[in-house]
Amino acid sequence: MKNLWHTIAPFATDTSGACAVFAQSNALVIAQDSNGSVSTLRRVIDINGGAADYATVDLPEVSYALGREDDFIDVMRQQFALANEDRGYSGQPPCEFIVLVNGPVSSLLGTDLTTRARHLQEHVEVPMLCVETTGNAYYDKGIAKAYRAIYENIVRPDEPPAPHEGVVNLLGMNPLDHPGAGFYRQLMQNLMLRGEALATDFGYTDSHDRWVLAPLASRNIVTSVSGLELARQMCYELEIPYETLDALSWCDTYTRGLSFAGAPRVLFIGEQITGNLVRRLLASMGATQVDVATFFTLDRELKAPQDRKLKGESDLVALVAQGYDLVIGDRIFERCGMIPDGSKFIPLMHPPTGFGRRDNSVLSRTWFELIARQA
Amino acid sequence: MRVLRSSPFYREGNNQLNSLMGLQHHLVPNIHALFFGPVECFRHTFPDLLDDERASVLIVDDVNASLGRTEDLILEAVGEIRKLYPDTEALLFCSACQTAFLGIDLDSMCQSLHDATGLYFAHFEANRMASENIPGKYRKAIPGGDRYHTRRAVFRTFEQLPDFDPAAGDGVLVLTDDKLDPACDLHDLTLAPGIDWMRSVGDCTGFEDFLSLASARFAISTSTPYNEVGEYLHERFGMPVLYLPTSYSLDEIGAYYAKLDKLVPLTSEMLVCRAERRAEAQTAIDVAFAASAGDPLDLDLRVIWRPFSTYEALLGYGFNVRTILPHKSQVQHKETDDIEAFERLLAADPEGMGRFKAMPNSRERTGPASPHALNRRRPGRFVDQGRIEYATERVPEETAWWGYSSISALMSELTRDFARSARIEQQPSFSPTPSPPASPAHFEPGTKPSKRWQL
């Protein structure tokens, strides 16, 4: 049955994705839902040492059912004051803006976040952003929605400015798809070596003061599928071209000189652009078949014919039963006993899948050396 | 800093360190828990159930929920679970906030499914929007929460039993998750005429075993989360229930026995056992006190349901208790069975105990400089330095005591701890992952475009 999960836990939702974009900002993220949503916010912000604060509105059912907007506004004003007080205690600057996100109930009830935000803005003196999450979609949709909100409310210029040569944006760079600082650091070093400079990474390390620089870039680099929608929008509106991470040649250093003893069949389970990158690099090592499967967005333009969108556990079970030599994915698949005995499993940390139980299995030269030895 | 592992009852009641759904360990074997609702609700709950073959999640997204397809999906899921786990004897439906707004008649559904399949069905709503679950001004004074409701939900399967008459009961039902240690006082109850058995919920080896608990003559709730079950059994079936939560006070246990004597005919054999146990407990207290040699004691009581009563009892025995770390939920839920002890301690030490009056993150908390500052940014909440050794995983073989035996067990642990002179390694204090350093590759334009915040 498609929606029934026995073994793997549900994946990170769009609320988590939206949080990941604002985690490094001096922002207050308020989920318009009960305190059950706090855990999803906390996992993203606190685990990554984020500067943002988070809160939920914590109101009883009657406030939702009867549409008592004043209750919501009162609670959020208190949350804002409390967040700033906490920040004062710990020496952090006060919140610079507030982000409203939906939860499952508020989404089901058709909450008008924009109107609520305008109402709240009359009482607080900081700008507001709204991200129409639902608590029912996965994290990549939330990241894409957060980017859309940022672009439409902050970034979109009245007139496209002249692009600055050698200036790039990173789209889709987020702690959920790229945990740890190593990959980002190497990416930045590569930009430096190429004589390029970064305008913004849309929240991976920066905040609104750099987001406004996005239209000045001459190129967008999309590092995960959640950044594709914004990249295409900027290409259409601002004529800023984009390329995906797997097309960049700097990653070739990861597999230089490495090769497989045989010609293994490989299955990659995870985010699509990372999967495409791994596919290209493993092909250079001699892998004859590298299939990419994902529970998340599978973009048609970027997919290979054999790539699969997984709908549920049964899809995954059927797929791994096809007898791949190597299966790459978050360690939770192995932990939950989903990898058949005949396949070797290579972990690659993906927090939205596996709760970010850190095992430091990230894309690196060392990781590819491990794969070469395992095959 | 000497620290007591909150033993021997580190899973006393409910481990607060895990999910609030209360199903991180199964209450009764062969019950399959089916959670249904949106993804977000189960993302943070299911990690605790990854090793549990008796739990599944049915994702009901907003579209299916709005179109009224929830019941159909549940029926389909039940069919699939029965195929995958044919020895399932009961199902517990667990829903979330979203379901509360849909008005699904889960009672009827459970009864219909029972009639159709012969299995037992129960349900509970983990509704964070119910007033009792909301921190702050909306919280009712009456304790509530999922950890109570899940237990009551499981017992509602008794309603599907054809014959249920407590008046004809021949045993004693002990309402606690834990298996009872063979040394537990409560075993003495079987010495009474007409009492053939005494079992706890934790002692059940299967669902049929659990259903047999319905033939109890009366129930004893030794674990605060089960108080609601006691109320339910009494109101619904007329079963007499005593509320005798675990205590480490000799006097309080004596008062408990006075209540028990009203329900259980006392024999001379039972009196002798009781006296012996009391003497053992007193000896254990004396030995532990001597072993302590006045050393200060810092207690981690985060998983003990009545931390203030425990603290008061240990102070009464003369131990040099320097700090206690109670769990915040004790204050949140205002557990009535610990309030009196707290009030007495507060009256004796207003400044020291005053910090436990407020809820965490409130303005009444101590400032950040205090080692006991409640700050969600600090790991371990109360932990400021050093490392507290405490057990976080339930050990399946671990058992629980009640009565004088609980004092003896606790004192034995204390005596061992003092004798070992455990040292706590100092660990560096937590610092968040540093942000990536500012890179020279960052573009700095001559003139920055102005921000346009436009909602």
Side-chain angles (χ1 to χ4, degrees), chain A residues 15 35-36 153 156 198 210, chain B residues 40 44 128 441 443 452 454:
Chain A
T15 316
N35 59 24
N153 293 286
R156 179 188 275 144
L198 181 71
R210 293 203 67 87
Chain B
E40 180 139 317
H44 53 270
R128 285 282 175 273
F443 166 62
R452 353 168 4 254
Q454 185 174 323

Side-chain angles (χ1 to χ4, degrees), chain B residues 314-356:
Chain B
L314 288 170
L315 283 178
Y317 298 142
F319 289 97
N320 178 12
V321 180
R322 181 169 58 184
T323 332
I324 65 168
L325 310 179
H327 194 276
K328 64 180 173 72
S329 287
Q330 304 315 114
V331 180
Q332 279 182 319
H333 283 280
K334 302 184 180 63
E335 305 300 346
T336 54
D337 51 3
D338 211 25
I339 286 288
E340 287 181 10
F342 176 72
E343 296 292 340
R344 286 192 291 269
L345 290 166
L346 183 66
D349 178 15
E351 192 183 331
M353 296 303 295
R355 60 197 161 95
F356 299 122

Side-chain angles (χ1 to χ4, degrees), chain A residues 14-303:
Chain A
D14 52 0
T15 316
S16 298
C19 252
V21 174
F22 300 107
Q24 299 301 331
S25 300
N26 285 322
L28 173 62
V29 181
I30 308 180
Q32 304 301 298
D33 221 294
S34 67
N35 59 24
S37 298
V38 163
S39 298
T40 54
L41 307 180
R42 179 171 56 229
R43 281 183 195 277
V44 175
I45 294 177
D46 282 356
I47 285 176
N48 292 294
D53 276 288
Y54 52 87
T56 50
V57 290
D58 287 341
L59 286 167
E61 302 166 288
V62 66
S63 296
Y64 289 86
L66 298 182
R68 289 183 180 163
E69 280 300 303
D70 287 346
D71 290 353
F72 288 86
I73 302 302
D74 283 343
V75 164
M76 288 194 285
R77 285 172 61 191
Q78 289 168 24
Q79 301 279 14
F80 179 65
L82 194 59
N84 279 336
E85 186 186 323
D86 276 351
R87 284 170 165 267
Y89 270 126
S90 49
Q92 284 180 281
C95 293
E96 294 173 358
F97 62 99
I98 297 175
V99 181
L100 302 190
V101 297
N102 265 333
V105 170
S106 52
S107 163
L108 183 73
L109 297 176
T111 301
D112 183 351
L113 277 186
T114 305
T115 302
R116 184 172 290 173
R118 289 201 182 111
H119 194 176
L120 178 63
Q121 199 165 28
E122 294 170 9
H123 300 278
V124 301
E125 293 175 354
V126 295
M128 311 279 304
L129 273 180
C130 302
V131 183
E132 303 276 354
T133 53
T134 64
N136 285 285
Y138 287 140
Y139 78 101
D140 50 338
K141 299 283 193 295
I143 295 174
K145 286 179 183 173
Y147 286 163
R148 188 187 312 150
I150 290 172
Y151 181 76
E152 289 175 358
N153 293 286
I154 302 174
V155 171
R156 179 188 275 144
D158 295 324
E159 291 286 336
H164 287 62
E165 273 310 308
V167 177
V168 303
N169 296 318
L170 290 181
L171 276 57
M173 196 76 201
N174 65 83
L176 298 177
D177 287 315
H178 305 285
F183 188 78
Y184 178 82
R185 200 156 38 230
Q186 289 191 310
L187 186 56
M188 293 297 290
Q189 284 170 1
N190 180 260
L191 290 179
M192 278 177 60
L193 287 172
R194 290 164 55 97
E196 290 180 309
L198 181 71
T200 176
D201 53 33
F202 276 103
Y204 191 73
T205 62
D206 60 19
S207 185
H208 57 89
D209 54 331
R210 293 203 67 87
W211 297 340
V212 292
L213 304 178
L216 302 176
S218 59
R219 185 166 77 102
N220 284 332
I221 298 175
V222 183
T223 61
S224 74
V225 72
S226 51
L228 267 179
E229 183 187 320
L230 178 61
R232 287 170 179 156
Q233 188 171 10
M234 291 177 76
C235 184
Y236 177 72
E237 291 186 11
L238 305 177
E239 296 181 354
I240 299 177
Y242 69 92
E243 57 185 334
T244 52
L245 181 69
D246 53 302
L248 300 179
S249 58
W250 69 271
C251 298
D252 293 352
T253 55
Y254 284 162
T255 54
R256 190 161 295 147
L258 294 179
S259 62
F260 290 117
R265 290 177 63 236
V266 183
L267 173 65
F268 176 93
I269 311 167
E271 187 272 321
Q272 183 182 20
I273 288 182
T274 306
N276 286 350
L277 174 63
V278 169
R279 183 192 352 246
R280 182 169 73 74
L281 294 176
L282 290 184
S284 72
M285 288 168 59
T288 51
Q289 179 185 343
V290 183
D291 298 344
V292 172
T294 181
F295 286 98
F296 310 110
T297 302
L298 186 73
D299 187 81
R300 284 189 198 149
E301 288 182 20
L302 300 182
K303 74 184 276 287

Side-chain angles (χ1 to χ4, degrees), chain B residues 30-85:
Chain B
N30 292 1
I31 288 187
H32 196 101
L34 176 64
F35 295 84
F36 63 91
V39 182
E40 180 139 317
C41 299
F42 305 114
R43 169 68 179 167
H44 53 270
T45 302
F46 213 68
D48 302 311
L49 300 168
L50 277 175
D51 291 317
D52 196 336
E53 289 181 352
R54 294 293 176 181
S56 304
V57 173
L58 173 66
I59 301 299
V60 181
D61 60 22
D62 44 358
V63 172
N64 281 314
S66 307
L67 295 177
R69 292 185 189 145
T70 305
E71 289 99 323
D72 294 335
L73 288 172
I74 292 174
L75 291 174
E76 192 182 341
V78 169
E80 178 139 335
I81 288 169
R82 290 183 70 200
K83 271 191 242 165
L84 285 171
Y85 306 102

